[in-house]
Amino acid sequence: MKKKETGARRNLGLIKLNRMLALLVAIFALLSVTFMEQEVSASGINSYTYYRHGEGSKDFYPVPAPSPYNYVKSIYAEDIGADSLYKANSMFVSEKYIYISSGNSIIITDHDFNRKHVIKSIEDGNGVQELTDINGLFVTKDEELYACEPQKGRVLHFNSDWTLKRILGRPEGIVINENVAYQPLKIVVDSVGRMYIVANNVYEGLVELNVDGTFSRYFGVVEVNYTPIELFWRSLQTEAQRARSAEWLPVNFSNIAIDNDDFVYATVAASGEDEKEPIRKLNAKGKNILRYPSSTGIYPQGDLHVNQYGQNIPKGKSLLTAVDINDYGVYAVLDSKRSRIFAYDDDGYMLYAIGESGTTEGRFKMPVDIKFLGDDKLLVLDRGNMSIEVLELNNYGRSIHNAVKYQAESDYRAAAEEWKKVIDYNPSFQYAYVGIGKALYRDGDHELAQKYFRLGQDVDYYSEAYKKTRQDFISDNFGTFVLVIAVLAVISIAVKMIRQQMRANKKLDGGING
Amino acid sequence: MSALIQKLKAVNFKEDFINFPLYIISRPFKGFGDLKYEDRGSPYFAFAMMVLLCLFNICDSTYKGFIITGYYSENMVVNTPYVLIMTIAPVILFVLGNWSVTTITNGSGSLKQIFMVYAYASFPKLILDVIGLVLSNVVTAEEAAFSTFFYAFGTVAFMLYLFIGLVMIHEYTFTKSLLMVILTILAMCIIVFVLSLFITLTNEVFVFFSTVFKEIAMRF
């Protein structure tokens, strides 16, 4: 009896050991899984892509996606030796340095945020002047800094050693009302040295200045959009009513950036909710040439699904206030209304949306500017948090960017490999299927390409691939077609002849019988 | 049951289902006149037409080409009851609406005749739509117009034949027929309105009784 008991106890002990082992294994497995996942999804940055689910052009739904960026760190004012960043307006990343405009100073750091220089005052012929609130910054290829000082109505141009080169005041020959102050807010300079300026209260478009600072023309004019209903009501109004009702002004540009080919990207501060083209890519003529997928007709505009009503929460379309482009045509725009960042590729397909409002890591309280840093970092200047948030691409985001880069270089096969990795992380990313389809199409596998284009919901490319498969099908089976038609023709003629013969016979029979 | 089979056997399939519909397509005035005065055509064809229309609409939402719809789903779900109702309801609505208008304005067509006119008028539309559906699977994006053309042409043809049919069976003048069409649409709207009113009010009554029942149930 006793022996049996000990045996049972030993068994029990064995079972316990086994259980412990199993538990350990399970814990290890769990840990390894969580560590593996950390690569991509543990960054805590809210992210989504739009998924087409339905026939209508409105049937795009946000689906959660892994974040393409990991949160790295926040840079606060003391880290870069500034007094504070609560008046930070914009920043610029040049080849060597990062420039941050913060209140009445411009802070210059290297790419690791070690302070190099601070500009607090300028010295011109009239003596030393303290800077007032600095807004937009731009740095040319030769490290010459342009800074907008809206309160004094001028643009400051610095040499590459950060001494003052010249002051560009109210440009000669500019046609604006005398009592309207000229307030430059944002500036970009093209490779020749022409300046494009977003100015406050100037509704004619961007102010384009010649290299010598004289006024050249208004650039990229934003036209006023009237709806027929608005026009109808306006036609009913009396003169007095018209004078009292709100003025119809063209929408203003909110921010600009320039790419390597001197195309100016501008975001429109959408005062009108029906703004159709809130992001514009302006060519030398000032015409908007931003590409967008023609198969869906969805223009890059930030959020596609927005709430129109709500109290204490943002409502209405995205308010885009900053834009930046990287070397291979990926441009990111900042929606300051909902603290989100949207990235698009050169063709206007949305790559990802990240961020939300908040104070924790990877959220933005009051973002005012975004800039790409190097190949894999994104800086978000957050005035609300008084910090610069540093985000770094993780494997998922890296793959997306690589794929777009390879596509821009027309290396579709390499792009397809990257898109496959993207799909491994996020199977609901429809654009990735189109990317793979393009590679297959180039390799001549039209039928499989068709399948991928269909998964990517891209009618245009599908149609191209289908055209090829149809062509192949017809040329392969042309002989069979001809044969079938010939056989059918012969049979029908034969049937006709036999029938005629039979009828004739019948008549003949009838004739004999009758 | 056996009586029905007997009746079905009496139907001249070739005449009612093939010859007469095709005859109407080629000579609509004469054809619809024959429908009224010569008693040609069969209500069975009309019912069969309704079934075919339902079938076609289900096929349409299932097999329409990706290039036309612009949207593809691996596991497509078609809401069959919804499609059926959306096919049958307009027919019932139109037939009832037209009948209720024409009976009070001395139209001489009967309910059965209106229904048959509707069915025979939708026969060419069905054929054209089927062609459009087949084409939608073999066209590229540039040729998509060929497919959509057949759909659009089918709708136009349907309206034309329906109008001619109504002119013939009601023995109206052209202008009066046009007026009747407008009145019919009005009548359809009224029917929908009354129906929705009825449903809402029934709901109110139902809620009232269920509340009373709940109150009583709470008490005991």
Side-chain angles (χ1 to χ4, degrees):
Chain A
M1 194 66 192
K2 234 181 182 176
K3 229 180 182 177
K4 221 179 180 179
E5 221 178 61
T6 49
R9 201 170 286 164
R10 200 186 299 145
N11 272 348
L12 212 71
L14 213 67
I15 290 171
K16 261 191 181 166
L17 197 75
N18 274 345
R19 271 193 192 162
M20 288 256 280
L21 265 173
L23 200 71
L24 265 170
V25 169
I27 286 170
F28 267 112
L30 209 71
L31 277 179
S32 59
V33 165
T34 44
F35 274 115
M36 261 157 57
E37 296 244 311
Q38 218 157 26
E39 280 282 293
V40 164
S41 65
S43 60
I45 299 177
N46 179 38
S47 173
Y48 57 91
T49 52
Y50 274 102
Y51 184 85
R52 182 150 203 225
H53 187 75
E55 290 177 23
S57 62
K58 291 235 161 185
D59 290 326
F60 280 84
Y61 300 99
V63 287
S67 168
Y69 285 97
N70 283 351
Y71 169 80
V72 181
K73 58 185 171 183
S74 301
I75 304 292
Y76 293 99
E78 56 265 29
D79 299 326
I80 53 171
D83 300 337
S84 82
L85 284 174
Y86 83 98
K87 274 174 137 184
N89 273 325
S90 76
M91 59 181 168
F92 194 87
V93 177
S94 72
E95 294 284 313
K96 291 187 206 153
Y97 304 111
I98 300 169
Y99 297 74
I100 302 143
S101 71
S102 169
N104 41 23
S105 61
I106 303 166
I107 303 145
I108 300 149
T109 73
D110 64 11
H111 283 187
D112 297 320
F113 296 101
N114 301 312
R115 192 174 76 157
K116 288 286 165 200
H117 191 76
V118 176
I119 303 172
K120 283 203 160 168
S121 57
I122 51 167
E123 199 180 344
D124 64 349
N126 307 330
V128 178
Q129 287 180 35
E130 295 287 311
L131 294 181
T132 56
D133 208 7
I134 297 290
N135 203 317
L137 300 174
F138 187 85
V139 182
T140 60
K141 288 268 186 295
D142 337 317
E143 293 291 329
E144 289 189 6
L145 169 68
Y146 290 79
C148 295
E149 198 178 6
Q151 282 179 22
K152 296 243 174 97
R154 62 190 184 181
V155 174
L156 307 171
H157 183 183
F158 295 89
N159 290 312
S160 54
D161 58 350
W162 305 313
T163 53
L164 190 68
K165 190 175 185 181
R166 58 175 171 167
I167 295 175
L168 300 154
R170 187 186 178 106
E172 280 171 44
I174 187 167
V175 245
I176 49 174
N177 205 330
E178 271 306 312
N179 48 25
V180 171
Y182 166 72
Q183 292 184 321
L185 292 176
K186 309 284 177 192
I187 181 168
V188 293
V189 182
D190 71 7
S191 54
V192 183
R194 280 184 296 248
M195 288 155 267
Y196 303 95
I197 295 168
V198 175
N200 212 0
N201 298 324
V202 172
Y203 294 99
E204 284 87 352
L206 297 170
V207 178
E208 185 186 324
L209 302 184
N210 294 320
V211 184
D212 58 359
T214 52
F215 177 74
S216 163
R217 58 171 173 165
Y218 286 115
F219 182 72
V221 182
V222 186
E223 67 291 344
V224 185
N225 294 317
Y226 313 101
T227 63
I229 296 167
E230 278 175 340
L231 282 177
F232 172 72
W233 284 118
R234 191 131 179 126
S235 70
L236 292 185
Q237 283 174 338
T238 62
E239 207 54 50
Q241 277 176 325
R242 241 174 258 177
R244 288 187 60 141
S245 63
E247 266 187 277
W248 284 0
L249 293 172
V251 280
N252 226 344
F253 286 116
S254 57
N255 211 331
I256 43 176
I258 195 162
D259 72 359
N260 294 334
D261 301 325
D262 284 348
F263 289 115
V264 176
Y265 285 70
T267 51
V268 173
S271 55
E273 273 299 296
D274 49 347
E275 178 54 50
K276 297 272 190 317
E277 299 173 349
I279 308 167
R280 294 173 192 217
K281 181 184 183 178
L282 305 168
N283 65 5
K285 239 177 128 186
K287 211 175 153 235
N288 181 19
I289 53 159
L290 194 80
R291 288 164 63 94
Y292 60 97
S294 62
S295 57
T296 56
I298 300 294
Y299 196 90
Q301 53 183 287
D303 270 317
L304 300 175
H305 265 240
V306 291
N307 51 318
Q308 296 295 349
Y309 308 99
Q311 275 188 323
N312 304 326
I313 52 164
K315 52 180 180 280
K317 279 173 123 182
S318 302
L319 182 66
L320 307 178
T321 53
V323 56
D324 196 28
I325 320 127
N326 74 3
D327 294 336
Y328 39 91
V330 172
Y331 56 94
V333 290
L334 173 73
D335 169 14
S336 59
K337 194 185 267 183
R338 294 187 180 80
S339 301
R340 285 173 187 162
I341 295 160
F342 300 88
Y344 298 87
D345 80 344
D346 203 25
D347 289 332
Y349 286 94
M350 193 175 109
L351 302 175
Y352 47 79
I354 56 165
E356 61 193 304
S357 188
T359 51
T360 53
E361 288 180 0
R363 297 186 180 204
F364 320 114
K365 203 172 175 187
M366 200 174 132
V368 289
D369 206 358
I370 51 171
K371 282 283 178 287
F372 288 111
L373 169 61
D375 218 14
D376 51 1
K377 285 206 181 73
L378 182 70
L379 307 180
V380 182
L381 184 60
D382 190 343
R383 196 193 288 179
N385 280 341
M386 292 186 272
S387 68
I388 301 167
E389 308 286 315
V390 183
L391 310 176
E392 189 171 24
L393 283 175
N394 56 25
N395 291 348
Y396 170 67
R398 186 77 266 164
S399 292
I400 295 178
H401 275 237
N402 278 344
V404 173
K405 190 164 133 195
Y406 291 139
Q407 276 188 5
E409 293 161 1
S410 298
D411 186 355
Y412 289 90
R413 215 171 288 170
E417 289 306 313
E418 295 292 339
W419 285 129
K420 275 176 194 159
K421 284 185 211 159
V422 171
I423 290 174
D424 281 346
Y425 286 118
N426 180 12
S428 65
F429 189 33
Q430 290 177 319
Y431 183 42
Y433 294 96
V434 180
I436 296 173
K438 279 181 193 164
L440 290 166
Y441 178 74
R442 279 186 192 241
D443 284 349
D445 193 348
H446 300 131
E447 246 169 281
L448 197 58
Q450 235 174 295
K451 269 185 192 151
Y452 272 98
F453 287 141
R454 209 162 52 182
L455 281 174
Q457 312 284 6
D458 196 308
V459 173
D460 289 350
Y461 280 111
Y462 175 87
S463 167
E464 288 300 313
Y466 175 66
K467 203 190 264 174
K468 287 271 194 281
T469 41
R470 197 176 60 176
Q471 221 167 23
D472 293 348
F473 177 76
I474 289 174
S475 59
D476 286 352
N477 299 300
F478 190 70
T480 332
F481 281 133
V482 173
L483 199 72
V484 168
I485 289 169
V487 167
L488 281 178
V490 168
I491 288 175
S492 65
I493 290 168
V495 166
K496 238 180 202 168
M497 280 171 70
I498 290 167
R499 269 197 180 163
Q500 269 176 1
Q501 197 61 45
M502 277 166 75
R503 221 171 274 159
N505 286 347
K506 234 182 197 170
K507 255 186 191 165
L508 217 60
D509 287 351
I512 290 167
N513 288 342
Chain B
M1 191 67 200
S2 61
L4 189 73
I5 291 167
Q6 282 297 316
K7 266 188 185 169
L8 280 178
K9 271 184 183 164
V11 174
N12 184 348
F13 182 79
K14 199 179 173 215
E15 160 66 18
D16 284 346
F17 282 70
I18 298 167
N19 287 355
F20 187 52
L22 292 177
Y23 181 72
I24 282 187
I25 290 175
S26 55
R27 292 175 187 77
F29 287 96
K30 184 91 178 22
F32 284 120
D34 285 0
L35 187 141
K36 187 171 171 67
Y37 302 111
E38 314 269 314
D39 208 20
R40 283 179 78 179
S42 148
Y44 294 112
F45 173 83
F47 284 115
M49 199 63 215
M50 291 304 115
V51 176
L52 283 177
L53 278 180
C54 290
L55 271 178
F56 171 77
N57 280 340
I58 291 168
C59 289
D60 191 54
S61 42
T62 317
Y63 298 117
K64 208 170 190 181
F66 171 62
I67 283 179
I68 305 293
T69 58
Y71 165 67
Y72 166 75
S73 165
E74 268 180 285
N75 31 15
M76 170 85 87
V77 178
V78 175
N79 188 348
T80 316
Y82 175 77
V83 175
L84 293 186
I85 288 171
M86 288 319 280
T87 318
I88 299 298
V91 182
I92 296 173
L93 211 57
F94 177 83
V95 171
L96 284 183
N98 190 261
W99 177 74
S100 52
V101 170
T102 49
T103 36
I104 46 176
T105 51
N106 294 326
S108 62
S110 68
L111 193 64
K112 181 182 149 193
Q113 279 166 354
I114 297 168
F115 179 51
M116 277 165 68
V117 162
Y118 191 100
Y120 278 103
S122 49
F123 181 71
K125 177 177 161 57
L126 183 70
I127 294 172
L128 289 168
D129 281 1
V130 168
I131 296 171
L133 178 60
V134 172
L135 274 182
S136 79
N137 283 291
V138 293
V139 290
T140 61
E142 296 95 66
E143 302 150 8
F146 285 110
S147 170
T148 45
F149 166 76
F150 276 101
Y151 279 98
F153 186 48
T155 311
V156 172
F158 165 69
M159 287 181 176
L160 189 72
Y161 282 113
L162 186 64
F163 184 70
I164 293 171
L166 292 178
V167 170
M168 292 312 291
I169 58 167
H170 291 310
E171 297 173 322
Y172 283 146
T173 58
F174 179 78
T175 39
K176 207 176 174 195
S177 293
L178 271 184
L179 189 70
M180 283 311 122
V181 168
I182 294 162
L183 283 179
T184 304
I185 293 166
L186 210 67
M188 286 161 76
C189 293
I190 291 169
I191 292 173
V192 170
F193 172 70
V194 169
L195 215 62
S196 57
L197 203 67
F198 175 73
I199 290 169
T200 337
L201 290 179
T202 324
N203 186 38
E204 291 280 315
V205 172
F206 179 78
V207 167
F208 171 72
F209 279 112
S210 77
T211 322
V212 168
F213 175 76
K214 266 185 205 154
E215 288 281 339
I216 294 168
M218 293 274 194
R219 198 150 278 268
F220 299 103

